[in-house]
Amino acid sequence: MNRDDQARIFTFLVTSARGCVDEPPIYGPLRLLEAYSMLLDMQEPGETDEFYYRLNEKIEDLKDMCMIDEGRFIDGLDRVIEELTGHILEGE
Amino acid sequence: MRVFQGAALLVKEWRREKLTFDEMIVSRRSVRQYNDREVEKDKIEAMIYAAIWAPNAGNFQVLRFVVVRDKGTLERVKMFSPGMPRTAPCVIAICADLGEAEKRGGEFAKKIVPFDAAFAAQNMLLKAHHLGLGTCVIKSYNEKSINRILKLPGEVTALMLVTVGYYDTAPEAPERKNLSEVLHYESWESEMRRDEQG
């Protein structure tokens, strides 16, 4: 992560923290997912397990779903976590 | 392949021009994923022209528009706008001179400026849609930081950001309430008659 990336993610996190005080509660999960995508973008090629990139494609779809159908958004998050759990347990 | 994509684009644009006014309203979406195609200056100016003709309190016309396309400035705006799509190639800040609003129409005018901004934004969104562009209204940003980045003078402030860009796939339609759930005739207690429901 270079200095530009650091500025980007640190600023995003702190600005989001302030924003979340006033914004609708559902925006909080959205900001965290955005941080996931941003951090992934900041990884050097080959540095990160491919699995996390594949997961990001699902996360990108979920971000749209958040504003369309909150129930499907939450279900989608649960499925992503299931995949993450499986991935972590397989790696042990 | 490129020729095919170009033809597909032409068909898409031709279809859009054939949309009725109602279809235009109903098919507009908040677009959060954009492609790399640059937004033409004349299209941006057409959006701003549409905004100029939105209703505004007392015809005071205190709104100003800052268009950001420079990558460096865009990056800074994004850094302080957590709600802004990362792929947006252009953002328009709808700004208002609150000092001028107060001078012309007192505290009342100052208070209702956000309504003017919303009217202007809606005109911009529909015009953009008509031109084949996607847009998304953003309110999740740090206003003070954005004002500094855009070098807004005095009492000018950014009331709303609108991202603009081309997109490959339109988001699916969200559910909307139907008429009978939102419409009351004459008073709140009234109900739409069944034969009046569309």
Side-chain angles (χ1 to χ4, degrees):
Chain A
M1 194 187 287
N2 60 36
R3 282 179 180 269
D4 284 347
D5 288 342
Q6 288 168 7
R8 216 171 281 138
I9 190 70
F10 295 154
T11 309
F12 176 86
L13 290 172
V14 177
T15 310
S16 294
R18 176 62 187 92
C20 282
V21 174
D22 305 316
E23 290 167 0
I26 196 70
Y27 285 19
L30 200 59
R31 301 290 177 257
L32 290 172
L33 294 179
E34 190 61 27
Y36 175 102
S37 303
M38 288 174 75
L39 283 165
L40 197 65
D41 272 356
M42 292 169 187
Q43 306 305 306
E44 293 296 328
E47 197 177 57
T48 307
D49 192 330
E50 267 302 310
F51 167 81
Y52 295 108
Y53 289 96
R54 287 199 300 277
L55 205 65
N56 191 47
E57 288 170 18
K58 292 176 183 172
I59 283 173
E60 287 295 343
D61 290 341
L62 276 180
K63 287 179 200 167
D64 276 343
M65 193 49 65
C66 174
M67 302 291 172
I68 296 169
D69 186 331
E70 202 174 307
R72 276 163 69 192
F73 171 69
I74 295 166
D75 288 346
L77 267 181
D78 285 339
R79 280 197 301 276
V80 164
I81 293 167
E82 264 178 52
E83 280 191 50
L84 264 171
T85 310
H87 180 74
I88 299 296
L89 293 178
E90 276 168 25
E92 280 178 355
Chain B
M1 187 64 181
R2 184 164 287 189
V3 172
F4 175 75
Q5 283 175 337
L9 197 66
L10 277 177
V11 169
K12 199 171 153 188
E13 286 180 4
W14 176 79
R15 278 193 186 135
R16 188 185 313 280
E17 281 178 13
K18 297 284 175 197
L19 290 179
T20 65
F21 184 68
D22 284 349
E23 287 168 339
M24 192 62 74
I25 289 174
V26 170
S27 60
R28 186 206 58 79
R29 297 281 169 270
S30 290
V31 175
R32 294 183 178 83
Q33 290 183 32
Y34 301 94
N35 62 32
D36 295 337
R37 185 174 161 192
E38 199 175 311
V39 181
E40 300 89 340
K41 195 177 170 195
D42 61 324
K43 292 193 176 178
I44 290 170
E45 289 179 1
M47 287 174 64
I48 305 301
Y49 184 75
I52 286 172
W53 281 97
N56 68 98
N59 198 29
F60 297 145
Q61 302 181 69
V62 295
L63 296 184
R64 300 292 182 268
F65 305 87
V66 180
V67 177
V68 180
R69 290 189 299 175
D70 169 74
K71 282 196 167 64
T73 313
L74 210 50
E75 187 55 47
R76 291 196 163 197
V77 170
K78 282 179 192 173
M79 282 168 73
F80 290 93
S81 308
M84 191 168 151
R86 282 180 305 143
T87 52
C90 173
V91 63
I92 301 173
I94 303 180
C95 309
D97 188 334
L98 298 179
E100 193 188 338
E102 193 171 17
K103 205 163 69 186
R104 305 273 311 273
E107 191 62 27
F108 178 79
K110 197 173 166 182
K111 254 198 250 176
I112 58 175
V113 165
F115 293 97
D116 292 352
F119 293 140
Q122 182 65 8
N123 273 15
M124 289 164 67
L125 305 189
L126 289 175
K127 184 65 192 178
H129 183 42
H130 181 67
L131 294 170
L133 289 160
T135 51
C136 189
V137 173
I138 309 298
K139 192 57 192 164
S140 297
Y141 57 85
N142 191 289
E143 201 168 308
K144 283 182 186 168
S145 304
I146 296 301
N147 290 353
R148 277 182 68 183
I149 292 165
L150 300 181
K151 301 186 173 75
L152 303 184
E155 286 192 68
V156 179
T157 192
L159 290 177
M160 208 179 277
L161 302 179
V162 178
T163 56
V164 189
Y166 288 96
Y167 56 98
D168 297 321
T169 315
E172 70 175 82
E175 281 199 18
R176 292 288 204 236
K177 289 184 166 66
N178 59 40
L179 272 183
S180 62
E181 290 173 287
V182 300
L183 178 60
H184 303 258
Y185 281 112
E186 318 309 343
S187 75
W188 187 263
E189 288 78 20
S190 74
E191 280 182 26
M192 274 185 80
R193 287 207 315 268
R194 197 167 285 278
D195 60 359
E196 286 176 331
Q197 292 180 14

